[in-house]
Amino acid sequence: MSSIDRLFERLRAQRRKALMPFVTAGDPDLDFTEQLIGRLANRGATMFEVGLPYSDPIADGPVIQASYTRALDRGVRLDDILATLGRLAPRIETPLVTMGSYAIIHRYGPAAFVAEAKAAGVAGAIVPDLPVEESDELAAICRREDFSLIQLITPTTPPDRARRIAEKTTGFIYYVSVTGITGERNKLPPALVDQVAWLREQTPLPICIGFGISRPEHVRALAPVADGLIVGSAIVRRVAQAGERPRNEVLSEIEQYVGELLAEVN
Amino acid sequence: MSGAGGPSHFARIVPIMPVSSPVPDPRGRFGPFGGRYIPETLVRALDQLAEQYAAANRDPSFRAELEELYRNYVGRPSPLYHARRLSRKVGGAQIYLKREDLNHTGSHKINNTLGQALLTMRMGKRRVIAETGAGQHGVATATACAHFGLECVVYMGEEDIRRQRPNVFSMRLLGAEVRPVGSGSRTLRDAINEAMRDWMSSVETTHYCLGSVMGPHPFPVMVRDFQSVIGREAREQCLDQLGRLPDLIVACVGGGSNAGGIFFPFIDDKQVALLGVEAGGRSTRPGDHAAPLNFGRPGILHGSYSYVMQDDDGQTCPVHSISAGLDYPGVGPEHSYWKEIGRASYATASDDEVLEAFDVLARTEGIIAALESSHAVAKAIDEAARRPADQIVLVNLSGRGDKDAAEIARLRGVEF
């Protein structure tokens, strides 16, 4: 049982929902990432998705893409990211999962990646460009290491395939709210609630919804059908817009924003 | 006409679809290479595309329609031309050119875009997106879309827009929208990223007309099949006109579609050597070339596992080539497979060698070749020089060079 499984067990017993901020590692630097995750954890964020910057992210919209470019331009390396997470993890009780291209994991070596990430206190990985057919090798390593491999299901996934993906997933299912890329949206598709309700009947796994979620009203509308919600671009955008403002001010602003969303799930 | 020895342009168009091949397997693997590393959102569309393509392959009416277009719209078969003055100047083997530059739109790219546009019609989609580097694939896609009345959007890096202006104008004349891409290196690789992002949102109504033998399954096999009309014609033309197969075939490799297209029908002819030529750029130092098969290693980029220029963290490295169409850090998975099993070899030609070959071909034969194709010409000259006069070196002259005139003038400081 991974720390993610224990988290959702506890949340379900308390009838609470997870709120998972997405933070790009190394944007604008790893110091900031460490402080941001620390402060949001204290504020009550339930779990973190840590974005591993990648040069060619095809599932990401302009906001997250630009954050990856900023981090890579400053020379962030995977080993440095894992070292930072390794310092953070013991200080917070909140599980951390990475979100990163299989290009990165493949180059590092899947077994080495899982071993190093686990040693750093990371509980699982989301690999957005590794569909279930290609995931056998990584999935076997993750099972052996009790490291969650969170798979994605989208509105374009046919029902049979969704069930197959659910069978291969550990930790939770990442349900992608829209047919599209990451990024804030004013409105989410009306069919979303029904799609998640259907999926819930197919699997006992927790279901978290991501892509497009940015507003308290989104959280309010989706919290009843999901086990958790993921917020990315809205946080990354606030980092991008920080400019030369004092870091403390930017951290407080993001903390306040996440606090508003947390109020909707608790 | 097989065996009749008639002139090449009377050669019948050899059936479009290939003979059976052991690769790829049903999951798009060429040995270890290929596969499908893409977001879940795109999986269903790729499954549908693979099914529709397989059905089209079995449908004689699809083949007949494509063959008719190849003949009367593209002008196929493209000639096999004996470059006598060039061969004499080189003083070695006889150099023959497969004249894909004479196709409608000026390159081999139209062979693929017409096939994919026909498939788009079968799938009932009305919008097509594409990436382009040199603009040849963009023009060929815009052309196929105009022919079928499909909406067309082409993503092109800002750096490529600068160096390939004539093609940008042509695409707009053909009714396509050209969307400049300002992210990353502002070249082909970033244009592919943007096209994929568009597809992530539009996949239910839009076909992504990928221009090379790369990307997720089924693109590498499908594009290879459409392009293999080049090799099938060339093979038959060699037998008809020369009474034998060539000793060596040379083609440039960016993503690898013209090379894949001419190599594939010769794969079982073990006596025919196959040589792909990558962009050697300014030097062999990282960042100065675009030659992953020579200097890279297997990794993941743009949906498949293949040789790639990648750092120790899996980040794609910057690359350089004088030619926008080869300025790409990856390569199609089947080329990685052919390299691995030793069926084809891969060399590089430097920017300077390419410019020299470009001049030599223009002055000895009156043919202005694309800078991409000039990579193949450069290595063919080297290879022919060290072979006896009774050997045959066949070059895939994949495109014409009008589009490069302004860039070459700029490089030479000539007022254009």
Side-chain angles (χ1 to χ4, degrees):
Chain A
M1 212 180 182
S2 79
S3 60
I4 297 174
D5 302 329
R6 286 193 296 275
L7 170 74
F8 280 105
E9 203 165 73
R10 196 170 70 236
L11 288 174
R12 278 181 169 179
Q14 298 167 340
R15 298 187 178 282
R16 285 172 60 212
K17 303 299 166 92
L19 185 84
M20 195 184 324
F22 169 96
V23 174
T24 295
D27 175 31
D29 53 45
L30 284 170
D31 229 32
F32 184 87
T33 306
E34 190 172 348
Q35 288 183 57
L36 179 58
I37 292 176
R39 295 219 358 205
L40 296 182
N42 284 339
R43 189 71 185 70
T46 334
M47 183 157 42
F48 288 96
E49 191 183 336
V50 179
L52 307 178
Y54 177 50
S55 53
D56 297 83
I58 55 179
D60 284 304
V63 170
I64 291 177
Q65 258 181 70
S67 76
Y68 285 175
T69 305
R70 282 193 299 275
L72 291 172
D73 283 351
R74 301 207 33 173
V76 73
R77 302 292 311 263
L78 182 54
D79 279 329
D80 300 329
I81 293 170
L82 293 175
T84 301
L85 299 182
R87 279 196 304 277
L88 252 172
R91 292 200 279 119
I92 59 177
E93 283 173 28
T94 325
L96 301 165
V97 301
T98 60
M99 162 81 133
S101 171
Y102 196 61
I104 297 170
I105 294 174
H106 168 267
R107 174 59 62 224
Y108 201 85
F113 175 81
V114 171
E116 294 297 317
K118 196 180 168 191
V122 174
I126 303 165
V127 191
D129 53 4
L130 190 71
V132 68
E133 292 80 6
E134 303 286 2
S135 70
D136 287 350
E137 183 188 359
L138 184 63
I141 294 164
C142 290
R143 257 196 315 278
R144 221 162 41 229
E145 297 288 332
D146 196 16
F147 187 82
S148 297
L149 181 60
I150 295 120
Q151 310 252 18
L152 297 95
I153 293 176
T154 74
T156 62
T157 308
D160 281 358
R161 184 177 167 81
R163 283 189 281 266
R164 208 161 69 237
I165 294 171
E167 279 166 23
K168 298 242 179 177
T169 298
T170 48
F172 64 90
I173 289 168
Y174 190 131
Y175 191 80
V176 176
S177 69
V178 295
T179 302
I181 52 181
T182 58
E184 296 171 67
R185 284 160 174 85
N186 291 335
K187 281 198 165 153
L188 294 171
L192 178 56
V193 169
D194 287 345
Q195 287 161 348
V196 177
W198 175 85
L199 186 57
R200 176 159 312 290
E201 288 166 19
Q202 316 304 314
T203 173
L205 279 171
I207 301 169
C208 297
I209 307 175
F211 281 42
I213 296 166
S214 58
R215 300 180 171 193
E217 61 263 32
H218 296 157
V219 175
R220 200 176 313 142
L222 295 175
V225 292
D227 295 279
L229 299 169
I230 303 162
V231 182
S233 294
I235 292 170
V236 175
R237 174 171 60 80
R238 284 169 169 81
V239 178
Q241 289 169 348
E244 298 302 307
R245 285 160 57 208
R247 289 200 163 187
N248 207 32
E249 200 179 302
V250 180
L251 289 164
S252 298
E253 184 193 309
I254 298 173
E255 204 182 322
Q256 191 190 337
Y257 167 69
V258 170
E260 284 163 24
L261 301 182
L262 275 166
E264 300 291 342
V265 294
N266 289 325
Chain B
M1 296 291 290
S2 184
S8 67
H9 60 277
F10 289 128
R12 72 186 166 80
I13 297 180
V14 193
I16 292 150
M17 304 305 164
V19 290
S20 63
S21 165
V23 289
D25 72 12
R27 280 167 51 185
R29 291 280 174 179
F30 301 84
F33 301 106
R36 216 185 242 179
Y37 298 91
I38 36 91
E40 172 64 22
T41 298
L42 300 179
V43 169
R44 188 176 63 170
L46 290 167
D47 280 344
Q48 285 170 344
L49 182 60
E51 280 163 29
Q52 291 280 344
Y53 173 61
N57 241 339
R58 292 189 298 268
D59 179 353
S61 72
F62 180 86
R63 296 209 292 250
E65 196 174 350
L66 191 51
E67 276 168 33
E68 199 273 330
L69 283 169
Y70 280 178
R71 183 186 303 276
N72 296 323
Y73 188 68
V74 179
R76 302 209 72 90
S78 66
L80 178 70
Y81 168 73
H82 185 189
R84 287 193 178 81
R85 289 196 70 229
L86 176 63
S87 304
R88 236 187 339 266
K89 183 179 164 65
V90 171
Q94 300 308 303
I95 299 173
Y96 282 76
L97 307 176
K98 178 63 174 164
R99 298 290 308 274
E100 292 296 301
D101 61 314
L102 294 178
N103 291 340
H104 181 43
T105 73
S107 83
H108 71 291
K109 293 292 187 186
I110 192 82
N111 302 329
N112 169 44
T113 60
L114 284 172
Q116 290 201 42
L118 253 182
L119 266 180
T120 306
M121 300 298 284
R122 272 178 88 101
M123 293 187 287
K125 292 181 171 178
R126 300 298 307 165
R127 180 175 179 265
V128 170
I129 54 173
E131 82 294 339
T132 198
Q136 298 298 82
H137 175 60
V139 169
T141 306
T143 298
C145 287
H147 175 85
F148 286 105
L150 295 164
E151 184 190 343
C152 180
V153 173
V154 179
Y155 290 90
M156 187 169 185
E158 285 172 353
E159 167 65 9
D160 292 338
I161 288 178
R162 183 192 64 72
R163 43 183 179 172
Q164 311 276 228
R165 287 223 158 267
N167 276 340
V168 177
F169 187 62
S170 296
M171 284 184 265
R172 290 181 174 143
L173 285 178
L174 291 160
E177 181 192 341
V178 180
R179 290 194 188 160
V181 178
S183 57
S185 59
R186 298 176 298 128
T187 60
L188 179 55
R189 158 190 158 204
D190 308 282
I192 294 170
N193 289 339
E194 275 314 307
M196 292 246 190
R197 286 177 195 128
D198 180 317
W199 208 30
M200 286 283 291
S201 306
S202 63
V203 62
E204 279 155 312
T205 56
T206 296
H207 175 63
Y208 179 15
C209 182
L210 195 56
S212 195
V213 290
M214 43 152 295
H217 178 66
F219 285 110
V221 61
M222 182 175 73
V223 177
R224 176 201 75 191
D225 289 352
F226 287 138
Q227 291 295 0
S228 65
V229 67
I230 305 171
R232 269 192 304 282
E233 281 177 11
R235 195 173 183 284
E236 185 160 298
Q237 287 166 327
C238 284
L239 293 172
D240 280 355
Q241 294 176 34
L242 314 173
R244 69 180 191 88
L245 296 178
D247 300 284
L248 172 69
I249 301 176
V250 188
C252 67
V253 178
S257 72
N258 89 79
I262 198 165
F263 288 174
F264 181 65
F266 290 91
I267 284 296
D268 293 334
D269 301 314
K270 303 289 188 220
Q271 72 275 31
V272 180
L274 306 173
L275 177 64
V277 185
E278 294 192 305
R282 292 178 292 246
S283 82
T284 58
R285 283 194 302 270
D288 271 3
H289 57 77
L293 288 165
N294 281 274
F295 304 116
R297 49 186 168 171
I300 286 148
L301 177 65
H302 289 149
S304 71
Y305 176 60
S306 190
Y307 276 77
V308 61
M309 297 308 303
Q310 207 176 55
D311 72 12
D312 291 338
D313 265 9
Q315 310 292 346
T316 312
C317 297
V319 291
H320 160 82
S321 169
I322 191 172
S323 103
L326 304 184
D327 198 351
Y328 180 65
V331 67
E334 194 162 19
H335 288 291
S336 295
Y337 173 69
W338 287 336
K339 174 189 162 82
E340 197 104 325
I341 64 170
R343 181 60 190 96
S345 53
Y346 296 87
T348 61
S350 71
D351 288 351
D352 290 343
E353 290 172 311
V354 168
L355 286 170
E356 197 185 320
F358 175 92
D359 283 341
V360 169
L361 187 67
R363 287 170 196 180
T364 57
E365 296 292 346
I367 296 171
I368 295 179
L371 283 174
E372 290 78 14
S373 320
S374 299
H375 284 72
V377 175
K379 282 297 121 175
I381 289 172
D382 288 355
E383 286 290 330
R386 59 176 103 97
R387 288 165 186 261
D390 63 349
Q391 287 214 358
I392 295 165
V393 173
L394 169 61
V395 182
N396 194 9
L397 203 74
S398 55
R400 70 179 182 220
D402 314 46
K403 68 184 177 66
D404 296 313
E407 179 67 0
I408 289 171
R410 188 187 72 83
L411 289 168
R412 291 180 175 162
V414 179
E415 285 288 335
F416 184 67

